[in-house]
Amino acid sequence: RATPAPPAQAPDAAAARIESLEAELAKVALMRPELERLALAAAERDELVERLRTAEERAAACEAEASAARAACEAATVQAGDLSTRIEELTAERDAQANRLARAEARVLYLQSDLEETRAELMRLKGVPQQILEPEPQLPPVALPEEPETEEPAAAPTPELPAPSRMALLDEAVAAVRAWAQAWSEQRVDDYLSFYSPSFTPADGDSRESWEARRRQRISAPSSIQVDLDRIVPVVTGNRATVTFVQSYSSDRFSDTVSKSLALERDDDGSWSIVDERTLPAAAAPPS
């Protein structure tokens, strides 16, 4: 019986497998740079993720710090508002005290002037001859056929009332200006207009009727008005006075501060009327 020959395909298959493995190894060798790049990219991604997490933590911390700073700023703003209100109150109180002091000093000067005038009048009266101030004493009767009639002593002349002193006129003029501002603040239009003399002419050349109509509308329209006067300087010459001051006006619609000058005349009844009203430039403001 004949023995079968061994298969001849085995070496060929092994050689093919080796070639296939070598080809796979060659592919892997070709892919190694790409794999290394991917590994580097993955490491960079991890680093970026870590940096992002750190940035988010810092952002959260900054937001918390910003919130705290915002709250502190709001608290400081409220405190500043309270301080500003208190400063305004103290300033108003200081101005009121200063005005009261100025009026008290003016009153003292007026009383001193009045005292000096009273003393001068008393000295004048003391200088009148005695026989005019007092009747002569009656002599005892004498035995004469006829007693001569004696003349009655002349009565002492009634002294005239002294004219108002300069300080009294200054005080009157300032009081008139303050009453004018008070009527304006209280929106008493008729009282406000009554302070103006019939001879008053508006500075802008408008007619008296148009000016009064415009003033009525401007005073009546706002819901509230506040007019404050400061740095009042009166000057009196005879029956005329010029009063300069700083006027602060405020309403629910508008506010401003200007320097003004009012010229006034003293009427026969002792009241003062405005004959001229002007707004002064800043350089001509009354001294503080």
Side-chain angles (χ1 to χ4, degrees), residues 148-280:
E149 296 181 357
T150 58
E151 294 184 357
E152 296 274 343
T158 302
E160 297 181 358
L161 294 176
S165 66
R166 182 173 178 274
M167 288 306 304
L169 295 176
L170 289 172
D171 198 44
E172 289 179 3
V174 172
V177 172
R178 289 192 179 279
W180 163 81
Q182 185 67 24
W184 188 359
S185 295
E186 296 175 358
Q187 297 176 276
R188 294 183 279 110
V189 183
D190 291 336
D191 291 344
Y192 168 83
L193 294 175
S194 69
F195 282 94
Y196 290 85
S197 170
S199 62
F200 172 78
T201 302
D204 57 4
D206 199 1
S207 67
R208 177 66 178 263
E209 292 76 12
S210 298
W211 174 83
E212 283 196 5
R214 190 166 62 252
R215 294 305 298 159
R216 286 184 180 276
Q217 193 278 331
R218 290 184 177 178
I219 295 175
S220 302
S223 60
S224 64
I225 291 177
Q226 181 63 41
V227 179
D228 295 318
L229 307 183
D230 191 18
R231 292 157 60 182
I232 302 175
V233 179
V235 177
V236 173
T237 304
N239 287 334
R240 291 184 64 92
T242 301
V243 182
T244 56
F245 52 87
V246 176
Q247 169 187 295
S248 298
Y249 171 93
S250 62
S251 70
D252 58 320
R253 301 183 175 189
F254 177 74
S255 63
D256 71 345
T257 300
V258 297
S259 298
K260 270 191 176 181
S261 172
L262 294 182
L264 304 97
E265 283 185 349
R266 192 173 189 267
D267 302 329
D268 295 337
D269 60 357
S271 61
W272 291 83
S273 300
I274 301 172
V275 295
D276 185 69
E277 178 180 2
R278 296 184 184 276
T279 300
L280 303 177

Side-chain angles (χ1 to χ4, degrees), residues 128-135 153-157:
V128 177
Q130 190 71 15
Q131 64 270 23
I132 295 179
L133 293 177
E134 298 179 0

